[in-house]
Amino acid sequence: MELVIDRVSKQYKNKIAVDRISLKLEKGIYGLLGANGAGKTTLMRMLCGILTPTSGTISYDGIDVSEEEYRAVLGYLPQDFGYYPDFTGKDFLLYMAALKGIGKSEARKKVKELLELVSLTDVAKKKIKTYSGGMKQRLGIAQALLNDPQILILDEPTAGLDPKERVRFRNLIAQLGKDNIVILSTHIVSDIDRIADRILMMNGGSLVFDGTREDITGDLEEFYLQEFGEGEVE
Amino acid sequence: MKTLWIYEMKKIWQRRMVWICLVFSIMLVLITVGGPLLGSYYVKGEKLGSNYEIFLQDKAYQKALDGRAIDDMLLSEMQEAYSNVPFEDEKYSLTEAYQKYARLYSAIYHYVRQVTGLAGVELVAWQGGAADLQRMRLMKMEKSWEELLLSDREKDYWRAAEACLKEPMVFRYAEGYSVLFSAAYTIGALVLFMVAICLSGVFPQEHGRKTDQMILCCKWGRGKLYMAKCGAGILSALGMSASLVLTAVIVALGLYGTEGYDAAFQQIYVGNSHPITVGEAVLITYLMILLVGVFMGALVMMFSEIFHSSMGALSIAIGIILLPMFFSMPEEYRLLSQLWSYLPGDFVAGWSCFSMQTVVIAGKVFLPWQVVPVLYMMLGLLFAWVTGRRFLNYQVRGR
């Protein structure tokens, strides 16, 4: 299980969003930190195959990011989670399960499990437009987990969750990170501080720090501010 | 795949706009087809009766003539009946002479009037018989073929078609089909507008709602989803078109009667040489409306994915629909006028669908309603390819 990011760059006209990033990721939790515009979301989108790199390659166990086989093992929660307002929560998950190629009976079972996991069973048959922000976020998390992804990419997953849910979700990620590759971007440094096996920091499109919590002495947030000066932690 | 397709259908049909459009369009179809029976008929401010009563009376008169050939005997009966009508009176249709004698033959009178170009006392005084009527119609057709800049091969084809027409023509009561044929243009336009409005959001909604980033990174979020979306869009376009077409057919045949399927097409379209029946003409026209609806679906979905905007796609689609309604291409530009008549907004009309400008390939003549389905199918595949390229290669950026 190895996700290889080889000299990946993304350039928009004269702006370099991601600059020659190379990484080899094995199972574990990777916390991605960086200021606004550092290139985190661009990198995550390239890892999901929804944005083509200007140069470089991304592959998982030799499977290119553009292939269906790669997408089959991928779970993604985007920062701005979109939904179909007139779908019920259950319908939405069943639809996403169909998109992920999960068979009908397995999908029903999995949807039931995940609705329980994210505490949405009671509102499963209600339209998503009636959900609160936190409920929508939990639904987003559930859809990312539908296919038991080996690569799980989470962009701001705990945004909108109450403290209790955040702790629950953090524990869930910690569990998932034992057998899978989890890449997590969040502005809540304490989330990364507690669960990330490896911390990645980006600035101006480049990877400026790649190490474990043990490599950082003292408080992570202070370390971040020291490294990037006035930069806003995202 | 089936599950995906069902959800894509759900996405389309869950939109309130689709149902509002459907109900509104069905109401307009009801008004178009059944509207002529509502209200009263006035001649110069004087009420003749309710439109429904007039229809029932005319129907009874036409049924009395049903199956009779428009021969010398029928022509002279008509002329004799009309000779009693005081045409100098502006309200002659209110007179007893008209109501009692002439009205029975009004359908024949109008047919002869269209062929000869004569009316009133001139028509009554006309000395010609059924053979002259046929000769005049043929002359009219020859002139029309010249104006349409038909090639010699095409003229030969239509002369042969004319020779197949039964002479003298047998009059049939065919009001249901006549109404359907006349209403085809309006119903076709409604189908086009409805499909354009309802399907312009199939692809853009994914970008607008930001669901694209989630669906595109799913295992089947590209190839199969695209196929499911296209399938749902095309089937919805067909469903919307069929709803309006079926409403029109049921209401028209229900109100006016199903009789007359085998009447000659020339009874309702004098200036046309297609050797088909009225029923066949209506069948072809409404099948073409279904085809045009599906074609518009493919077209609007392509533009919606090119612009990533339903409004942009809708503007272009409505422009394409309205263009031939507001501007006509002079027939002296043969190729351009022919292509112009193949535009969706024009092709739904009987005069385009049964235009006598044909396509000749290797000496074989192909009629518009044979050419256009092939043309639309080829263009539809091209649109699907363009849409696919745009959707499958979509790059999630910005936001």
Side-chain angles (χ1 to χ4, degrees):
Chain A
M1 183 180 280
E2 192 178 50
L3 180 65
V4 180
I5 303 165
D6 186 20
R7 286 164 293 170
V8 163
S9 295
K10 185 70 192 178
Q11 188 169 354
Y12 297 111
K13 290 180 183 168
N14 52 2
K15 192 201 169 211
I16 298 170
V18 170
D19 191 13
R20 283 169 297 166
I21 287 184
S22 291
L23 282 168
K24 275 189 185 169
L25 310 181
E26 290 174 349
K27 58 184 163 187
I29 299 168
Y30 298 84
L32 191 56
L33 281 173
N36 278 337
K40 303 187 303 293
T41 297
T42 303
L43 178 65
M44 286 183 154
R45 283 174 179 168
M46 289 193 287
L47 290 176
C48 290
I50 53 174
L51 188 63
T52 310
T54 310
S55 63
T57 57
I58 297 165
S59 62
Y60 175 68
D61 287 346
I63 307 161
D64 189 76
V65 68
S66 60
E67 289 178 39
E68 192 178 281
E69 240 181 305
Y70 179 97
R71 294 198 299 274
V73 296
L74 178 72
Y76 176 47
L77 173 67
Q79 186 178 2
D80 40 3
F81 163 65
Y83 58 92
Y84 306 102
D86 289 318
F87 272 27
T88 64
K90 189 181 173 185
D91 265 350
F92 177 75
L93 289 181
L94 285 169
Y95 171 64
M96 290 305 293
L99 276 173
K100 287 169 190 263
I102 304 169
K104 260 187 188 174
S105 57
E106 200 195 330
R108 276 196 208 100
K109 201 176 131 204
K110 195 73 196 169
V111 165
K112 196 174 171 232
E113 268 175 42
L114 285 168
L115 282 168
E116 272 171 33
L117 185 75
V118 297
S119 311
L120 288 175
T121 308
D122 293 347
V123 290
K125 287 182 181 169
K126 287 194 173 167
K127 287 187 175 178
I128 306 175
K129 64 184 172 191
T130 64
Y131 285 15
S132 67
M135 286 155 91
K136 285 174 194 159
Q137 190 67 8
R138 280 183 272 153
L139 189 68
I141 293 163
Q143 68 77 27
L145 301 176
L146 273 166
N147 55 334
D148 296 322
Q150 291 169 29
I151 307 166
L152 184 59
I153 296 173
L154 306 164
D155 203 352
E156 302 283 357
T158 52
L161 297 185
D162 61 40
K164 198 176 144 196
E165 286 293 340
R166 224 178 73 212
V167 172
R168 237 182 105 205
F169 183 62
R170 206 160 59 197
N171 294 337
L172 175 66
I173 294 174
Q175 197 64 34
L176 289 165
K178 285 179 185 166
D179 300 312
N180 306 292
I181 298 167
V182 181
I183 302 167
L184 169 74
S185 156
T186 175
H187 69 284
I188 302 162
V189 179
S190 62
D191 281 350
I192 285 181
D193 200 5
R194 280 169 201 256
I195 57 169
D197 299 311
R198 212 163 124 189
I199 296 164
L200 307 169
M201 288 187 187
M202 284 184 76
N203 192 19
S206 303
L207 194 66
V208 291
F209 179 82
D210 176 4
T212 61
R213 183 65 185 88
E214 287 71 41
D215 298 330
I216 301 163
T217 50
D219 184 66
L220 177 62
E221 195 157 350
E222 276 177 25
F223 173 78
Y224 177 85
L225 290 170
Q226 276 168 17
E227 285 286 307
F228 306 112
E230 294 300 309
E232 183 196 337
V233 182
E234 194 190 326
Chain B
M1 182 72 179
K2 193 181 154 200
T3 313
L4 278 182
W5 174 79
I6 290 168
Y7 279 110
E8 290 306 324
M9 289 291 279
K10 205 170 175 177
K11 280 190 208 170
I12 294 171
W13 290 93
Q14 255 183 355
R15 290 172 65 205
R16 197 174 297 161
M17 174 61 85
V18 171
W19 290 100
I20 292 171
C21 266
L22 186 63
V23 170
F24 185 68
S25 301
I26 286 177
M27 279 168 61
L28 287 177
V29 169
L30 292 175
I31 292 168
T32 305
V33 177
L37 297 186
L38 302 174
S40 301
Y41 189 72
Y42 291 86
V43 179
K44 303 280 179 189
E46 206 166 324
K47 187 178 172 182
L48 187 63
S50 79
N51 281 326
Y52 186 67
E53 285 164 1
I54 290 171
F55 156 70
L56 287 179
Q57 188 66 62
D58 284 335
K59 182 179 178 180
Y61 286 152
Q62 287 181 32
K63 292 274 262 184
L65 297 174
D66 190 74
R68 284 192 66 182
I70 306 178
D71 53 12
D72 291 348
M73 187 187 284
L74 186 57
L75 286 175
S76 56
E77 276 177 39
M78 178 270 290
Q79 283 176 306
E80 197 184 325
Y82 268 80
S83 65
N84 300 312
V85 176
F87 286 107
E88 66 283 358
D89 184 350
E90 281 187 337
K91 297 177 182 175
Y92 73 84
S93 56
L94 292 175
T95 61
E96 193 190 349
Y98 176 81
Q99 291 296 332
K100 199 170 177 182
Y101 304 107
R103 194 169 155 193
L104 169 66
Y105 297 98
S106 71
I108 309 301
Y109 173 85
H110 285 291
Y111 175 74
V112 178
R113 184 180 163 174
Q114 283 186 74
V115 176
T116 60
L118 302 172
V121 283
E122 285 178 326
L123 199 151
V124 171
W126 182 59
Q127 296 295 312
D132 299 301
L133 195 66
Q134 163 64 358
R135 207 164 26 250
M136 285 176 90
R137 214 193 128 257
L138 261 178
M139 277 167 62
K140 202 177 162 124
M141 295 317 301
E142 289 278 354
K143 194 177 166 211
S144 165
W145 298 337
E146 287 296 329
E147 285 165 2
L148 289 169
L149 303 177
L150 301 193
S151 66
D152 289 342
R153 174 72 189 93
E154 285 174 306
K155 284 178 194 166
D156 287 345
Y157 176 85
W158 290 119
R159 277 184 199 116
E162 282 287 339
C164 295
L165 300 180
K166 192 179 176 193
E167 289 300 335
M169 193 179 83
V170 174
F171 178 79
R172 297 294 317 273
Y173 171 77
E175 191 61 15
Y177 300 99
S178 175
V179 167
L180 280 173
F181 190 74
S182 310
Y185 189 44
T186 310
I187 291 160
L190 284 173
V191 162
L192 289 172
F193 282 118
M194 189 181 166
V195 169
I197 292 168
C198 297
L199 296 188
S200 59
V202 171
F203 286 100
Q205 72 168 350
E206 305 293 358
H207 307 308
R209 287 185 177 145
K210 298 174 182 173
T211 43
D212 50 3
Q213 46 195 345
M214 264 184 319
I215 60 176
L216 285 170
C217 67
C218 287
K219 184 184 177 187
W220 288 351
R222 288 180 187 260
K224 284 195 179 173
L225 176 64
Y226 166 70
M227 296 297 284
K229 273 191 175 297
C230 283
I234 296 303
L235 200 78
S236 296
L238 190 64
M240 290 166 194
S241 313
S243 316
L244 302 197
V245 164
L246 281 176
T247 304
V249 170
I250 292 168
V251 173
L253 298 184
L255 287 175
Y256 301 96
T258 55
E259 307 94 318
Y261 181 91
D262 54 354
F265 183 39
Q266 287 65 33
Q267 186 180 309
I268 60 166
Y269 196 168
V270 172
N272 200 284
S273 302
H274 278 75
I276 54 174
T277 69
V278 164
E280 286 164 348
V282 167
L283 197 64
I284 291 169
T285 307
Y286 280 81
L287 280 175
M288 291 302 116
I289 290 177
L290 296 182
L291 172 84
V292 167
V294 171
F295 178 73
M296 178 51 69
L299 184 128
V300 81
M301 284 197 288
M302 178 186 72
F303 281 118
S304 73
E305 188 51 17
I306 287 175
F307 297 122
H308 297 137
S309 144
S310 54
M311 283 312 289
L314 195 56
S315 308
I316 296 267
I318 288 184
I320 291 172
I321 298 168
L322 292 180
L323 200 63
M325 292 182 184
F326 285 99
F327 304 101
S328 58
M329 187 61 68
E331 278 154 1
E332 59 194 276
Y333 306 115
R334 164 75 202 254
L335 182 65
L336 279 178
S337 76
Q338 199 167 346
L339 288 173
W340 195 259
S341 72
Y342 294 169
L343 284 173
D346 205 56
F347 193 67
V348 288
W351 59 81
S352 290
C353 192
F354 294 102
S355 165
M356 286 175 291
Q357 289 184 329
T358 68
V359 173
V360 182
I361 301 169
K364 193 160 168 47
V365 173
F366 294 94
L367 306 172
W369 53 271
Q370 294 169 329
V371 172
V372 169
V374 178
L375 192 68
Y376 277 14
M377 216 174 287
M378 283 159 64
L379 283 172
L381 287 174
L382 176 72
F383 295 164
W385 180 77
V386 173
T387 315
R389 294 269 304 169
R390 294 282 299 179
F391 183 70
L392 302 179
N393 296 318
Y394 182 71
Q395 299 286 296
V396 179
R397 60 176 67 149
R399 296 175 186 172

